Amino acid sequence: MYAIVDIETTGGHASANGITEIAICIHDGKKVTRRFETLVNPQRDIPVYIRALTGITNEMVQTAPVFEDVAHEIYHLLKGQIFVAHNVNFDYSFLRYHLNAAGYDLNANKLCTVRLGRKIMPGLMSYSLGKLCTHLGIQNNSRHRAMGDAEATAQLFGLYLKSDTNNHIAQALKQNSKEQVLPANLPKADIEALPNTPGVYYFHDQKGKVIYVGKAKNIRKRVCSHFTGNNPNAQRQEFLKNIYHISHQVCGTELVAFVLEAVEIKRLWPKYNRSLKRFENTYGLYVFEDQRGYMRLVVDKHRKYMPAVYACNSLYEGRNLLLNLIDTYGLCPKLCFIQKNDQPCNGANVGACACEGHELPNVYNERIQGALNELKKALPTFAIRDEGRTDDEHSCILIEDGRFYGMGYISHYYDADNIQALKNYLTPYPGNDYIRNIVTGYADRFPQRKVSFSV
């Protein structure tokens, strides 16, 4: 038996919205044998655009039962039936959420008439309920009302049952199919094409634009995890609705996937990525020459168009670095913005300090340059040589002077001991501290995969 369901709601996600109307048509595979419909008092205001769409007003639901009063009957109508709806995950998530709040645990097999339509009647321009009904000659005089849409979906489902010569419905109901958890607009073939390897995957919208980028140790397993559960929040429901296609890039290792994900998020700026879009180099050590000709060192927040001499993860780390340079090279704490009061300079060269003009700029700047040269020498240059996408290649990531240079794949037999020659095989990418930190952290954990260079 099938329970063909349609609901009207106050909004697009269950956790912050109520149901205003529900209709259920019990179908035995040949015809509808029972119908249930009721208005529901959502106990909140119905937005004006919803009122305009459905025709359901606040006055109409004022005397209707609240959901808890009809939850028992709804649950027993749905229990043990196959839950069928047009874009089934929307209706199911709402009813499961509100039934759970009323003390009932709904756990049903699902069928989506959008997904079934793409398989049983391929090649149509649109699989919206209205367009399908028009194309197939199904009358619906109560569009956007629960029973009108439920009846239309029941007629549509009846046509699917008659036209399903390739047993798509039976295949979708198999326990190991998992197809009904997929977004309504995503072809199952896209999932089947995903490999069980490390890599980066891309979710595309209806126009082909990338809306999300992710990385994985196992691409197929990670992608499928996005579609498990019935999270009712607004962002997830909108996210799933907009997924029409998945593409991917295979990577040799999870580390390469981490790096490529960070690069691609910066390049594509996908709508639904959050964390790495916000990441920036937090602080840096900068050098500039003042009006008197003295070179000045300062730790400051990341400046987009001014490269830092040295990147720091925090102000504390930058200040300690600067204090060490002041102590080691006899630099002026006032010219380095460490000492900010009007008291006499407390630097190493008291009595002949540059901030008082007692030391010529060229003399002081020699020590600054010496500090910068030693700092540059301390910046690591190395490559990570690791597994490739195939047995006859290795992946390679290059860090040069403490900055991420790029990555690529080299022959299994290539020595990779000359940095300039190695660059010919790598693709340069823009980097940031996030990439630098994960690569250097990986090098610390797996020193046997690190290739050092003499520069």
Side-chain angles (χ1 to χ4, degrees), residues 97-134:
Y97 179 86
H98 287 285
L99 282 169
N100 186 263
Y104 299 92
D105 183 19
L106 179 65
N107 188 13
N109 285 336
K110 298 179 289 181
L111 286 174
C112 178
T113 50
V114 177
R115 296 192 65 81
L116 289 175
R118 295 182 187 277
K119 290 178 174 291
I120 297 171
M121 298 179 177
L124 301 182
M125 291 293 292
S126 172
Y127 289 87
S128 70
L129 184 59
K131 294 291 178 61
L132 278 170
C133 288
T134 300

Side-chain angles (χ1 to χ4, degrees), residues 5-30:
V5 181
D6 190 81
I7 61 173
E8 304 301 333
T9 68
T10 62
H13 59 287
S15 60
N17 288 283
I19 296 171
T20 59
E21 189 176 37
I22 179 171
I24 303 172
C25 294
I26 302 300
H27 196 290
D28 65 1
K30 296 181 180 179

Side-chain angles (χ1 to χ4, degrees), residues 281-285 299-302 310-315 433:
N281 301 332
T282 315
Y283 289 90
L285 178 67
V299 175
D300 200 0
K301 287 184 178 180
H302 168 71
Y310 194 93
C312 311
N313 291 323
S314 66
L315 181 61
D433 273 3

Side-chain angles (χ1 to χ4, degrees), residues 340-383:
K340 298 181 180 180
N341 56 34
D342 295 328
Q343 300 299 315
C345 178
N346 58 15
N349 295 324
V350 175
C353 196
C355 63
E356 302 293 334
H358 298 150
E359 186 175 24
L360 294 175
N362 61 321
V363 177
Y364 179 76
N365 292 347
E366 284 184 9
R367 294 203 304 280
I368 288 281
Q369 194 59 57
L372 296 178
N373 290 339
E374 286 301 313
L375 196 59
K376 185 175 181 180
K377 288 180 183 178
L379 294 172
T381 295
F382 65 90

Side-chain angles (χ1 to χ4, degrees), residues 94-237:
F94 257 91
L95 283 171
R96 192 172 193 273
Y97 179 86
H98 287 285
L99 282 169
N100 186 263
Y104 299 92
D105 183 19
L106 179 65
N107 188 13
N109 285 336
K110 298 179 289 181
L111 286 174
C112 178
T113 50
V114 177
R115 296 192 65 81
L116 289 175
R118 295 182 187 277
K119 290 178 174 291
I120 297 171
M121 298 179 177
L124 301 182
M125 291 293 292
S126 172
Y127 289 87
S128 70
L129 184 59
K131 294 291 178 61
L132 278 170
C133 288
T134 300
H135 178 77
L136 297 170
I138 298 172
Q139 293 293 319
N140 184 358
N141 297 321
S142 299
R143 188 77 179 96
H144 297 301
R145 290 298 299 269
M147 184 51 78
D149 285 352
E151 287 276 14
T153 304
Q155 291 184 57
L156 178 64
F157 185 65
L159 291 176
Y160 287 171
L161 288 168
K162 294 176 183 178
S163 305
D164 186 19
T165 56
N166 293 318
N167 294 319
H168 291 298
I169 294 173
Q171 291 292 325
L173 288 172
K174 285 184 177 179
Q175 289 299 313
N176 61 354
S177 168
K178 306 295 184 184
E179 184 170 352
Q180 300 311 314
V181 305
L182 300 181
N185 297 308
L186 178 65
K188 186 181 179 183
D190 279 23
I191 297 295
E192 293 173 340
L194 297 175
N196 296 305
T197 61
V200 171
Y201 56 91
Y202 307 80
F203 291 160
H204 302 258
D205 66 12
Q206 190 171 14
K207 296 181 179 179
K209 183 178 180 181
V210 174
I211 57 174
Y212 184 84
V213 176
K215 47 69 173 68
K217 187 175 183 178
N218 182 318
I219 296 176
R220 180 182 289 193
K221 184 177 180 180
R222 178 67 185 98
V223 167
C224 289
S225 73
H226 282 282
F227 312 135
T228 57
N230 290 285
N231 189 328
N233 71 55
Q235 181 181 333
R236 175 178 165 78
Q237 292 300 319

Side-chain angles (χ1 to χ4, degrees), residues 383 385 396 410-411 413-419 421-422 451-453:
R385 183 171 185 155
C396 188
I410 59 177
S411 167
Y413 304 101
Y414 183 66
D415 288 337
D417 55 354
N418 182 291
I419 188 171
L422 178 61
V451 180
S452 298
F453 301 94

